[in-house]
């Protein structure tokens, strides 16, 4: 399964370097660039969709809250009609 999230070459290299730095700090050993890139691909394809889906849900909730607020603001603008 190929996740549709694409990163620039620079972004990918930064993430690979972050993985290498983290691995060294946690294990006191170095991880090669290829191994770090493979780990990044695993995270992107296997774990990434969970983060992506949660971000979509969070954005949806935020939009719904804003729409509710706008609806309330619009009702507040209504004027009473005299009969």
């Amino acid at each position: 399964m190929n996740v549709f999230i694409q990163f620039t070459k620079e972004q990918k290299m930064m993430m690979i370097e972050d993985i290498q730095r983290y691995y060294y700090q946690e294990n006191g050993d170095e991880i090669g660039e290829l191994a770090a890139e493979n780990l990044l691909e695993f995270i992107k394809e296997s774990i990434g969709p969970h983060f992506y889906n949660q971000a979509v849900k969070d954005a949806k909730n935020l939009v719904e809250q804003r729409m509710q607020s706008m609806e309330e603001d619009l009702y507040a603008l209504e004027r009473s009609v005299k009969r």
Side-chain angles (χ1 to χ4, degrees), residues 18-77:
D18 287 342
I19 290 170
Q20 290 175 307
R21 187 172 24 264
Y22 172 80
Y23 191 87
Y24 182 78
Q25 290 172 348
E26 291 297 312
N27 300 303
D29 196 13
E30 293 185 4
I31 183 174
E33 187 175 319
L34 181 59
E37 184 174 357
N38 288 339
L39 181 56
L40 176 60
E41 287 302 311
F42 168 77
I43 292 169
K44 185 175 95 170
E45 293 181 13
S46 299
I47 299 170
H50 296 283
F51 288 96
Y52 178 85
N53 290 342
Q54 186 60 49
V56 170
K57 287 177 188 174
D58 291 347
K60 180 181 176 280
N61 288 336
L62 180 62
V63 168
E64 287 174 350
Q65 290 173 2
R66 296 269 171 97
M67 291 299 293
Q68 179 67 32
S69 177
M70 287 175 53
E71 189 175 330
E72 291 169 2
D73 290 344
L74 288 171
Y75 282 125
L77 293 174

